[in-house]
Amino acid sequence: MTNFYSFHGTVTMISDFATGQNGTSEGCYKLISVENGLGESVNFVVSPSTYFVDHAVVAAGDRVTGYYDGDAPVPLIYPPQYRALVMVKESPYQNVKVDYFNSQLVSRDGRLKLNLSPFTQILLTNGQPFTKSPANRDLIVVYGPATKSIPAQTNPYRIIVLCSSF
């Protein structure tokens, strides 16, 4: 179970990120700089294992949310630099939540409860169907409307199960 934290803002720059691995990974890692409009900035290190929801291609000027492990060590530099686990390009037609969901399918922060329907796609990160229960797992939930209750309830469009530990 990963302790997901997020940062939302506008991409200001994308550049190659050198890892120092004898050139074998040259060009495979990117540094995405994001600013939230309040003067706060974050650099996300994007690796080949970073999951981009909808396989969206991100460019400067796009609104994004980057998710990272809040318990992972980070270098003490400014702006902060986090290893991106999941990146979401903002879309007016869908919401995305990345979190651990318990046996009742309520997110760890208690803000979202999932009501599965026969139309809910439950997939692995490689796009293959996931045939077990998504309960008690780290999930990427793509959904539309939700109730205004606490927790908000929704019938998600798609659930991506994060089986591997980051």
Side-chain angles (χ1 to χ4, degrees):
M1 153 168 68
T2 304
N3 191 13
F4 289 101
Y5 283 44
S6 66
F7 187 84
H8 179 77
T10 302
V11 175
T12 57
M13 183 177 66
I14 300 175
S15 59
D16 286 330
F17 182 75
T19 61
Q21 295 180 354
N22 301 338
T24 58
S25 63
E26 189 174 335
C28 293
Y29 290 78
K30 301 288 182 192
L31 193 67
I32 298 180
S33 300
V34 179
E35 187 177 305
N36 70 356
L38 301 172
E40 298 173 342
S41 298
V42 161
N43 288 332
F44 285 109
V45 176
V46 174
S47 73
S49 65
T50 300
Y51 186 84
F52 280 77
V53 172
D54 296 329
H55 302 288
V57 176
V58 174
D62 288 340
R63 302 274 302 159
V64 299
T65 302
Y67 291 87
Y68 59 95
D69 184 348
D71 295 332
V74 295
L76 293 174
I77 58 173
Y78 185 82
Q81 184 172 292
Y82 302 114
R83 180 176 162 246
L85 303 176
V86 178
M87 293 294 290
V88 180
K89 184 175 178 179
E90 187 176 282
S91 167
Y93 307 109
Q94 67 184 21
N95 302 301
V96 177
K97 181 153 186 88
V98 180
D99 207 347
Y100 173 83
F101 285 79
N102 68 18
S103 61
Q104 308 301 303
L105 292 175
V106 175
S107 62
R108 181 192 330 229
D109 64 8
R111 293 185 180 195
L112 187 64
K113 178 175 180 4
L114 308 180
N115 298 317
L116 302 183
S117 81
F119 303 106
T120 302
Q121 289 184 313
I122 305 175
L123 307 169
L124 295 167
T125 55
N126 63 7
Q128 298 305 303
F130 181 79
T131 56
K132 302 295 182 187
S133 169
N136 297 312
R137 297 180 184 271
D138 290 333
L139 305 175
I140 301 169
V141 179
V142 180
Y143 64 100
T147 65
K148 294 189 184 286
S149 61
I150 299 175
Q153 296 188 37
T154 189
N155 293 344
Y157 302 144
R158 188 170 64 250
I159 296 172
I160 295 100
V161 179
L162 299 171
C163 288
S164 62
S165 60
F166 293 103

